[in-house]
Amino acid sequence: MMMVERMFTVIIIFGFYVVGKSEIYIVTIEGEPVTSYRGGVDGFEATAVESDETLDVTSDSVTSYADHLELKHDTLLNTLFDEGTYTKLYSYKHLINGFAADVSTEQAEMLRRANGVKSVDKDWKVRKLTTHTPQFLGLPTGVWPTGGGFDRAGEDIVIGFVDSGIFPHHPSFGNHNTEPYGPIPKFRGKCEVHSDTKKSFCNGKIVGAQHFAKAAIAAGAFNPSVDYASPMDGDGHGSHTAAIAAGNNGIPVRVHGYEFGKASGMAPRARIAVYKALYRLFGGFVADVVAAIDQAVHDGVDILNLSVGPNSPATTRTTFLNPFDATLLSAVKAGVFVAQAAGNGGPFAKSLVSYSPWIVTVAAAVDDRRYKNHLTLGNGKILAGIGLSPSTRLNQKYTLVAANDVVLDSSVMKFSPTDCQRPEVLNKNMIKGNILLCGYSFNFVIGTASVKKVAETAKSLGAIGFVLAVENVSPGTKFDPVPLSIPGILITDVDKSMELINYYKASTLRDWTGRVKSFKATGTIGDGLEPILHKSAPIVALFSARGPNIKDYSFRDADLLKPDILAPGALIWASWSPNGTDEANYIGENFAMMSGTSMAAPHISGIAALIKQKHPHWSPAAIKSALMTTSNTLDRAEKPILAEQYSGSDTLTFVSATPFDYGSGHVNPRAALDPGLVFDAGYQDYLGFLCTTPGIDYHELLNYTHHPCNYTLGHPYNLNTPSITVSHLVRTQTVTRTVTNVDETETYKITAKMAPAIAIEANPSSMTIRAGTSRKLTVTLTVRSVTKRYSFGEVLLKGNRGHKVRIPVVAMGYKR
């Protein structure tokens, strides 16, 4: 079954009519939100915070100013419209100043023309982007011991998950009796109560649980019987991401009676705050997601995990400026670290769905664990395949029986009996004790058929096992192994499937009508339960979205590298919701093995929690810098990281990865805890980036940031990020960076290298930086030859105390 997460594409159905068609709009109005308000309104004290400060939402000044903003929202709506002709869904007060409302198109136009209204954006959709990895990343031996062991890793750090909810009864989220989770006074999250059990969704490990669905309900997309009007995870995705980042340590992964190891989150003692805004069938609405983010920051989360991305372009022209990204900019201003999945549109260029510099955009890697299986035919040929299944009995061959040869009645052919989803149409007497041979139909691609159902069919008919043969496949289809209770294998290679089919045809005796007289083809299924560990890891996963980053929806290149970093995101075991129906192969299970950048983002969120625990006063930009500058560009065999790519139409191959595939490289948690130097940045720096990015409308920028433009950067590529990107290099350009020493005094030797088309020079060539101080660094790029292709390089700072700080450099030369 194809296991890369589904992208949701559905038509929005709106619930009712007022004057014209009713739709949901996000409206921003004049006046600064809580995080930016510096005073000036009579009777209300300043509430603004800087990136190294924490917003005290319990203070009288914050509470009264927030109430003042909500009153302004209500007054505006009441003044313009009659009661009952509109529905206000949310008031946004902390990160942006505005509201979401369900109004007619005529009313939306009235709002646009009203005094004090800055922007009116039609709501748009978002989609979900969904153990062994702690060992692969070196956490148990290299990281957790430095913080007191796994039972202290992430202690008192709160990670907020804007996702599909959580299954609170899972052992990954339990409050152990031996090491119970105590209170966490700094966090102020709410805990909804389960409508049936009347019990809170929170237990000490889970410290907040709320759901947001007002926009989904107003749009007519919400189905309470499937989607749950509570934080309960009716999908599985939210439970999976939460467990990857912060699930308890040492939880046995048991599926079909077999244990696939023990699962752990990256920060197993971190707390979990749930903000459910994604749903199974339709994904989610930005109005709900923005409300969830606003609430998370109000509650006091330290980290925000977003395994979610836009389903379509926002209503603004630029990728960096819309209600979603502006809300996240304010979250970062309030000191919250934000990790977002890069998207699953790879391996194609410009397929990212996460663009802004204040967000950490995470690409997905295949780690060193692979599952393989094989089918041995009676003629001695061995066909490779996949299937997390036990083997058939050793030294015993079993007869192969094709489903289309054992249908009970020719009239059932309309039910596609070859895909083995309906046991009632097949002859049990002819299948019992044999291996059932099935065909991989289009039903598997669209999700109406599953490998799990094939196994259930074979078992109910008394088969020893099954083989599922793929005879044709669409480009981009990715097959992941599925845990099975009986011997089973999926032959994914079309050529191997044809070998199997040809052997079966040649061995099967038929009468003149084509009916089988005797089945002579035989085979045995191998043991696919044990993983194989590869040195060629990590590898950038085929589905992982690629750069270059774009600055607008005309797909013009940005002077900013994305993705930022690479983390494990393929074949990740983690908790699952037994009521989850998102993935047919894991319905009713407590664990699932999933692939997607959705799985990569929480790896970074959990590791960021470990850094936050060690360095509680670091800004989000400093944590991001520590992750990026210490990452690896070599795999475990000390060779350059590879990326899965297409060769021709649909053949999978491997190519040398570039920063457009992995950003700065693959995360190295141990090194990230002690980076030596960081590239820090704050709210004013991000404003400078926006102000100097060509094409951004000044008035639109003012609408979202409430600040006049800061042009001191000169160019967007001078933003103090731990990467350098110049998308349109003409002759010579000099880029400026500032490094801050977060360790003891150290002397760094600075070197730079670049592809031949562009010359690079770093200045100074060495510097001594005292503890806690900062120094400037310039990098000069000069076009040597115009190739109309990007060139890649790096600046490396090597300290005499052992620190290594690497900055990827990306540029395209246009004129010498």
Side-chain angles (χ1 to χ4, degrees):
M1 176 69 186
M2 185 173 66
M3 292 288 295
V4 173
E5 297 161 277
R6 300 187 189 95
M7 298 301 179
F8 291 84
T9 51
V10 291
I11 298 172
I12 303 173
I13 303 170
F14 295 94
F16 54 87
Y17 292 84
V18 184
V19 178
K21 185 181 180 184
S22 169
E23 297 188 295
I24 300 163
Y25 293 86
I26 299 173
V27 181
T28 60
I29 66 173
E30 287 180 353
E32 295 172 327
V34 168
T35 53
S36 301
Y37 173 59
R38 298 182 178 277
V41 179
D42 288 343
F44 298 99
E45 297 178 8
T47 58
V49 295
E50 298 303 327
S51 58
D52 59 347
E53 297 176 342
T54 301
L55 179 67
D56 181 7
V57 298
T58 61
S59 69
D60 291 340
S61 58
V62 167
T63 302
S64 60
Y65 183 66
D67 290 343
H68 163 71
L69 293 181
E70 183 159 8
L71 181 61
K72 285 183 67 177
H73 304 161
D74 293 337
T75 301
L76 174 64
L77 287 165
N78 291 335
T79 302
L80 288 177
F81 310 128
D82 293 335
E83 186 177 349
T85 65
Y86 69 91
T87 304
K88 189 189 80 170
L89 305 176
Y90 300 105
S91 273
Y92 305 126
K93 300 163 289 189
H94 299 95
L95 306 180
I96 59 174
N97 177 20
F99 54 86
D102 194 354
V103 298
S104 69
T105 51
E106 290 85 355
Q107 288 173 316
E109 281 305 311
M110 291 176 67
L111 279 166
R112 285 192 179 94
R113 294 192 296 267
N115 290 332
V117 171
K118 289 193 161 189
S119 65
V120 179
D121 293 294
K122 188 188 293 185
D123 195 11
W124 69 105
K125 300 290 289 297
V126 294
R127 57 191 170 187
K128 290 167 292 180
L129 299 172
T130 203
T131 159
H132 167 73
T133 46
Q135 287 74 26
F136 178 67
L137 295 172
L139 295 175
T141 56
V143 176
W144 291 343
T146 65
F150 71 84
D151 54 348
R152 290 291 176 266
E155 187 76 73
D156 293 338
I157 302 298
V158 180
I159 306 177
F161 296 88
V162 178
D163 214 300
S164 67
I166 198 162
F167 184 69
H169 315 299
H170 199 283
S172 288
F173 313 125
N175 193 344
H176 302 309
N177 294 326
T178 53
E179 289 284 343
Y181 291 93
I184 187 160
K186 69 175 184 179
F187 186 72
R188 300 160 297 272
K190 301 186 186 79
C191 295
E192 290 186 26
V193 175
H194 196 290
S195 58
D196 295 330
T197 65
K198 307 303 179 186
K199 290 184 178 180
S200 170
F201 275 81
C202 297
N203 61 0
K205 173 68 171 180
I206 303 171
V207 294
Q210 301 172 64
H211 83 287
F212 301 81
K214 290 179 180 178
I217 292 168
F222 186 86
N223 181 348
S225 65
V226 175
D227 298 315
Y228 299 103
S230 78
M232 179 62 74
D233 187 2
D235 178 300
H237 191 272
S239 300
H240 204 268
T241 56
I244 291 170
N248 290 325
N249 181 65
I251 305 302
V253 178
R254 290 195 181 97
V255 182
H256 299 310
Y258 186 84
E259 187 174 309
F260 290 92
K262 289 182 168 58
S264 172
M266 302 298 103
R269 282 293 287 189
R271 311 300 179 93
I272 293 168
V274 177
Y275 301 89
K276 178 179 172 181
L278 301 182
Y279 298 88
R280 183 173 70 91
L281 294 176
F282 58 88
F285 292 81
V286 170
D288 289 330
V289 171
V290 168
I293 296 167
D294 190 81
Q295 187 66 51
V297 176
H298 170 276
D299 292 345
V301 301
D302 299 293
I303 314 285
L304 200 55
N305 185 83
L306 296 169
S307 293
V308 55
N311 210 27
S312 59
T315 53
T316 52
R317 286 174 297 180
T318 175
T319 54
F320 309 127
L321 207 58
N322 54 70
F324 179 73
D325 283 76
T327 299
L328 292 174
L329 175 56
S330 290
V332 171
K333 184 177 188 290
V336 177
F337 175 94
V338 181
Q340 184 182 15
N344 294 340
F348 308 106
K350 300 188 180 184
S351 52
L352 296 157
V353 296
S354 175
Y355 317 99
S356 297
W358 45 91
I359 300 165
V360 179
T361 300
V362 189
V366 179
D367 65 25
D368 63 341
R369 184 183 59 186
R370 322 281 162 81
Y371 288 97
K372 294 184 178 180
N373 205 342
H374 63 275
L375 171 69
T376 304
L377 300 178
N379 61 6
K381 287 191 176 181
I382 299 175
L383 306 181
I386 57 174
L388 281 169
S389 84
S391 64
T392 52
R393 288 184 182 176
L394 295 175
N395 304 316
Q396 186 169 346
K397 294 180 180 179
Y398 294 90
T399 302
L400 298 175
V401 176
N404 59 344
D405 283 330
V406 291
V407 292
L408 288 171
D409 190 312
S410 60
S411 64
V412 304
M413 293 304 289
K414 63 182 178 181
F415 296 118
S416 300
T418 57
D419 60 19
C420 300
Q421 300 295 293
R422 298 166 62 92
E424 66 274 15
V425 304
L426 302 176
N427 189 326
K428 183 174 183 177
N429 293 330
M430 300 180 75
I431 294 170
K432 188 175 182 180
N434 299 318
I435 293 176
L436 180 62
L437 179 56
C438 308
Y440 188 90
S441 68
F442 185 67
N443 294 331
F444 289 89
V445 178
I446 61 176
T448 57
S450 70
V451 178
K452 180 179 182 178
K453 184 61 179 176
V454 175
E456 291 172 353
T457 296
K459 193 171 185 177
S460 69
L461 294 172
I464 290 295
F466 72 88
V467 179
L468 187 57
V470 179
E471 295 181 63
N472 53 67
V473 62
S474 303
T477 303
K478 185 177 185 297
F479 301 99
D480 283 353
V482 175
L484 304 166
S485 59
I486 65 171
I489 187 169
L490 176 64
I491 308 296
T492 59
D493 186 301
V494 173
D495 292 337
K496 300 295 184 187
S497 291
M498 292 313 300
E499 284 188 46
L500 165 62
I501 292 166
N502 290 336
Y503 165 69
Y504 177 81
K505 287 180 177 178
S507 304
T508 303
L509 303 178
R510 301 175 185 273
D511 62 20
W512 65 274
T513 66
R515 182 175 298 177
V516 175
K517 294 170 61 179
S518 62
F519 297 97
K520 297 294 185 182
T522 60
T524 60
I525 297 170
D527 185 348
L529 292 171
E530 293 299 323
I532 301 167
L533 299 183
H534 282 248
K535 278 193 173 181
S536 57
I539 296 172
V540 181
L542 183 73
F543 57 79
S544 186
R546 311 298 213 260
N549 193 15
I550 57 172
K551 65 182 178 182
D552 56 37
Y553 292 105
S554 297
F555 289 88
R556 289 184 293 182
D557 292 6
D559 287 328
L560 178 72
L561 180 63
K562 290 286 177 174
D564 292 303
I565 199 162
L566 183 69
L571 307 185
I572 306 298
W573 277 114
S575 74
W576 196 248
S577 175
N579 359 320
T581 52
D582 181 53
E583 176 46 60
N585 289 311
Y586 293 100
I587 292 174
E589 303 294 348
N590 281 307
F591 291 91
M593 184 169 63
M594 300 293 290
S595 297
T597 53
S598 278
M599 284 68 242
H603 280 88
I604 294 300
S605 296
I607 296 166
L610 301 177
I611 300 174
K612 181 79 173 177
Q613 180 188 19
K614 185 177 180 181
H615 306 285
H617 300 296
W618 280 13
S619 69
I623 296 173
K624 175 181 177 179
S625 174
L627 289 163
M628 291 177 64
T629 61
T630 59
S631 60
N632 298 322
T633 57
L634 301 179
D635 66 16
R636 287 191 135 185
E638 295 297 314
K639 295 181 179 178
I641 291 176
L642 299 175
E644 293 181 340
Q645 186 56 264
Y646 287 133
S647 174
S649 59
D650 58 1
T651 305
L652 180 65
T653 187
F654 300 95
V655 299
S656 294
T658 75
F660 290 149
D661 303 313
Y662 56 54
S664 58
H666 190 269
V667 64
N668 180 346
R670 184 173 186 173
L673 286 175
D674 180 24
L677 305 174
V678 296
F679 295 80
D680 212 348
Y683 189 67
Q684 290 297 325
D685 301 295
Y686 297 130
L687 289 184
F689 170 84
L690 292 170
C691 292
T692 55
T693 296
I696 290 186
D697 183 271
Y698 174 78
H699 297 290
E700 200 172 69
L701 179 60
L702 200 60
N703 288 347
Y704 287 110
T705 65
H706 307 276
H707 279 264
C709 249
N710 169 9
Y711 295 106
T712 55
L713 276 186
H715 298 280
Y717 52 68
N718 284 325
L719 176 65
N720 203 43
T721 59
S723 62
I724 294 173
T725 301
V726 183
S727 62
H728 198 100
L729 178 61
V730 177
R731 299 189 182 93
T732 297
Q733 296 288 342
T734 298
V735 181
T736 304
R737 289 292 183 270
T738 301
V739 291
T740 301
N741 190 349
V742 291
D743 207 304
E744 298 176 15
T745 299
E746 192 165 3
T747 299
Y748 285 85
K749 181 182 178 183
I750 304 170
T751 57
K753 61 181 180 180
M754 196 80 184
I758 293 174
I760 186 171
E761 181 182 0
N763 187 43
S765 58
S766 68
M767 63 170 73
T768 299
I769 315 178
R770 295 195 307 276
T773 64
S774 301
R775 290 283 303 273
K776 284 199 178 296
L777 165 71
T778 61
V779 178
T780 302
L781 302 171
T782 303
V783 179
R784 281 178 169 165
S785 59
V786 178
T787 61
K788 293 186 179 180
R789 293 195 307 270
Y790 275 101
S791 295
F792 304 104
E794 67 177 24
V795 176
L796 184 64
L797 293 83
K798 293 182 70 173
N800 65 330
R801 297 185 61 251
H803 290 110
K804 289 183 180 179
V805 177
R806 190 178 51 80
I807 316 167
V809 181
V810 178
M812 186 187 294
Y814 273 81
K815 190 174 183 180
R816 294 181 64 183

